[in-house]
Amino acid sequence: MQGYLWFAAKRFIQLLAVIFFGVSAMFVVTYLSPIDPVEQVLGRLSARSNLSPEAIAATRLALTEMFGTDQPVLTQYVNFWSRLLRGDLGASLMAFPTPAMELVLRAMPWTLGLLLTSTAITFVVGNLAGGLAGYFQNSRLLKAFGIVTMGLQPIPYYIVAFIILIVFGYLWPVLPISGGFAMDVRPGWTLPFILSVLQHSLLPALSLVLVGLGGWFIGMRALVSNIVTEDYVTYAELAGVRRDTIVGDYVIRNALVPQVTALAMVIGGVFSGTVITEQVFNYPGMGSLLVDAVNAGDYSTVLAVCTISIAAVALAIFIVDLLHPLLDPRVRAE
Amino acid sequence: MFAVLRDLIRYNAEFTIGLILVGIVAIFAALSFFSPVDPTQIYLAIPDQPPSAQYWFGTNSRGQDLFWQLSAAFKNSLIFGITVAVLSRIISIAVGLAAGYLGGWVDRVLMFINDIFVAVPIFPILVLFYFVLRNHMDSFTMALIMACFGWPFDARLIRSVALGLKHREFTRHAVFAGMSTRKVLLEEHLPYVMPIVFSTFMNNMLWSIGMEVTLAVLGFTNINNPTIGTVLYWANSHSAMVVGVWWWVLIPVILIVITFVGLFLLAVSMNEYIDPRSRLRRMGA
């Protein structure tokens, strides 16, 4: 148990380091950029409406104060952190005066739901199929499954999502291709709403699952086909241990350990995929919010989405890492 | 080197197919050096012409000959991918070999930094870069940023190989013979990790070109520079599928799939080449 706590503590320090580094990198990017956020916001504002010179000057002053761009770097950096820790990144420009953080928190459940379910499905199906394909190497069905998923795997998310959109939007319109839920359903914990949400999430989730399957399949098949040749598997077979026990407890469990490590490593990449998927399917999550915010020149919201996503990805990796020792007793012992 | 290549082509169908697919795309991209039209200019041809003898891939709604447009796009994207791969390979080789050979606190510090880079999602950071740089963000800047984030996976792989090399006889000989650390790493250890470097090179190109497509489709790059992603961006913004200019979408998508499957097969077969057991099985030994 003490070993586990030590392990968890080390991982926790790493989590803090990742968030610290990511957020600092964001600060450096925004600080070093040749573009002044104040002037940018001002440009956006005055492009849409006629403002008197006095109003512009007043707005500039207010914005400078809000972003704190007139202070020395270190003060700005400290201010940035203190505002971040208080969860206050200023008002959003697109949906003035809603705080940017509130927009992010509103969009987060959509992205989390989509990301978690599709990652879970991908991981389970890909590893199960890959494990079986590694053990039963002559199965035609599993071979065909492998070829299809491997063919899809290297293709960029966008292309797969787009092909799905064309197939289900134009050729065979059976599923909704846009939005998070049907227009005529009132949000709430009611059955029609939940059904509508599920129905709308099918296509975005499908595109994420299709792209993700191949990687797990290939990895697991390679791992299992190595493990199958080990002596203990042959011994178990000769000793008459049941087939499903061998496959499940002896082979796949052992092969799963590196796969869980890999799961922690791909979460960041899956997040980029969700952004694109949300954009293609017009899903009301953080990805769509990010794209809208960039297009609207909404400084606070862009920063808020970036911070939250870095922290969320780091947290997800941390949780997967904590689950790791439960699967592999060797990590606990170290 | 050539013997290795010959064996790979003879015994490994995946490598051969991958090589052919990537070769087709590379030749197609190289044609753009002889392009008779400037791919950044618009309205040089009649818009919306379907594929014909004159315009092999048709023309798009912006009045560009798609053949030369795509050729330039693939050239730019491949150059982008190669730039990212080369730069990030340099970082990962340096970090991986140093961490594996030197060990101790150097290893711990480098791997700590490594794990941080693995965990930071690059997409929000790239979007942030675009957001602050806007049109100052050219493809070389983007390649630099992506190279800074594309090394950690492979550095870890290289480190694990270097860890094994450290205790081998020849390393000790080299040290006793008075070779400097830098020389040991570059002349003795580097050749052993080269297969990994080649295989991860392809994977890294897949990753960076895919990321570029993602960003460009959203309009988050310099959209006037023809790349795979910006071709799709313009097709989208002219609603090519809806108005029936299907060749504007279909032909790029087919070419992208060829590129990605080709690079992927090369990476996979390289991986198998690294593992001698699977190579022997394939050669029937």
Side-chain angles (χ1 to χ4, degrees), chain A residues 14 17-18 21-22 26 29-30 33-35 40 44 150-151 153-156 158-159 162-163 166 170 218 226 265 268 271-272 275-276 279 290-291 293-295 297-299 302-303 306 309-310 313 317, chain B residues 14 111-112 115-125 127-134 136 149 153 156 206 210-211 213-214 217-218 220 232 236 241-242 249 253 256-257 260-261 264 268 275 277 281:
Chain A
Q14 198 155 9
V18 169
F21 171 79
M26 275 174 29
V29 173
T30 47
S33 84
I35 287 153
Q40 206 180 5
R44 294 272 161 178
M150 276 166 74
Q153 197 249 348
I155 301 166
Y158 173 76
I159 308 289
F162 196 61
I163 292 172
I166 291 169
Y170 297 96
I218 299 164
N226 277 339
M265 291 176 128
F271 178 77
S272 327
V275 174
I276 265 297
Q279 181 65 17
L290 181 63
V291 174
V294 170
N295 289 334
D298 186 341
Y299 203 80
V302 172
L303 269 188
C306 289
S309 56
I310 287 173
V313 168
I317 293 172
Chain B
E14 281 156 15
M111 282 305 110
F112 187 71
D115 289 349
I116 290 176
F117 270 89
V118 168
V120 173
I122 184 181
F123 190 76
I125 292 190
V127 171
L128 196 67
F129 263 104
Y130 167 75
F131 184 68
V132 294
L133 291 177
R134 293 275 162 180
H136 297 264
F149 285 87
F153 282 98
R156 215 169 234 292
L206 282 177
M211 201 62 113
V213 171
T214 307
V217 161
L218 296 173
F220 290 174
L232 289 171
N236 260 351
M241 278 313 287
V242 185
V249 175
V253 167
I256 292 168
V257 172
F260 275 76
V261 171
F264 177 71
V268 169
D275 178 16
R277 273 183 302 180
R281 207 181 309 146

Side-chain angles (χ1 to χ4, degrees), chain A residues 185-260:
Chain A
V185 185
R186 185 188 292 272
W189 291 109
T190 56
L191 191 65
F193 178 68
I194 292 170
L195 281 180
S196 176
V197 167
L198 283 179
Q199 198 191 12
H200 278 76
S201 65
L202 273 181
L203 284 186
L206 180 69
S207 68
L208 286 169
V209 169
L210 281 182
V211 174
L213 271 182
W216 297 121
F217 184 88
I218 299 164
M220 195 64 178
R221 197 180 56 184
L223 285 167
V224 166
S225 54
N226 277 339
I227 289 180
V228 164
T229 57
E230 300 257 346
D231 290 341
Y232 74 88
V233 179
T234 321
Y235 184 75
E237 275 169 359
L238 292 177
V241 180
R242 284 175 48 193
R243 258 286 154 87
D244 49 324
T245 317
I246 296 180
V247 177
D249 292 356
Y250 286 33
V251 175
I252 292 190
R253 180 167 170 186
N254 265 311
L256 212 52
V257 176
Q259 292 294 84
V260 172

Side-chain angles (χ1 to χ4, degrees), chain A residues 79-303:
Chain A
N79 280 344
F80 183 69
W81 267 108
S82 72
R83 274 173 37 199
L84 209 61
L85 292 177
R86 274 183 282 126
D88 164 31
L89 279 169
S92 151
L93 267 182
M94 318 189 275
F96 197 80
T98 322
M101 270 300 180
E102 202 184 312
L103 285 183
V104 175
L105 292 181
R106 221 183 280 163
M108 200 149 72
W110 295 98
T111 301
L112 272 185
L114 187 63
L115 194 86
L116 289 181
T117 39
S118 58
T119 311
I121 294 172
T122 316
F123 187 76
V124 171
V125 175
N127 278 315
L128 202 61
L132 293 177
Y135 192 78
F136 304 104
Q137 286 185 352
N138 296 321
S139 160
R140 284 250 177 83
L141 183 73
L142 287 166
K143 269 187 188 160
F145 184 81
I147 291 170
V148 172
T149 50
M150 276 166 74
L152 281 170
Q153 197 249 348
I155 301 166
Y157 271 115
Y158 173 76
I159 308 289
V160 173
F162 196 61
I163 292 172
I164 289 180
L165 189 72
I166 291 169
V167 169
F168 287 96
Y170 297 96
L171 302 179
W172 188 40
V174 284
L175 282 170
I177 53 163
S178 167
F181 52 90
M183 292 277 194
D184 54 350
V185 185
R186 185 188 292 272
W189 291 109
T190 56
L191 191 65
F193 178 68
I194 292 170
L195 281 180
S196 176
V197 167
L198 283 179
Q199 198 191 12
H200 278 76
S201 65
L202 273 181
L203 284 186
L206 180 69
S207 68
L208 286 169
V209 169
L210 281 182
V211 174
L213 271 182
W216 297 121
F217 184 88
I218 299 164
M220 195 64 178
R221 197 180 56 184
L223 285 167
V224 166
S225 54
N226 277 339
I227 289 180
V228 164
T229 57
E230 300 257 346
D231 290 341
Y232 74 88
V233 179
T234 321
Y235 184 75
E237 275 169 359
L238 292 177
V241 180
R242 284 175 48 193
R243 258 286 154 87
D244 49 324
T245 317
I246 296 180
V247 177
D249 292 356
Y250 286 33
V251 175
I252 292 190
R253 180 167 170 186
N254 265 311
L256 212 52
V257 176
Q259 292 294 84
V260 172
T261 318
L263 178 64
M265 291 176 128
V266 300
I267 288 176
V270 178
F271 178 77
S272 327
T274 3
V275 174
I276 265 297
T277 313
E278 281 175 13
Q279 181 65 17
V280 172
F281 292 102
N282 207 1
Y283 204 70
M286 281 167 67
S288 304
L289 183 69
L290 181 63
V291 174
D292 289 345
V294 170
N295 289 334
D298 186 341
Y299 203 80
S300 314
T301 311
V302 172
L303 269 188

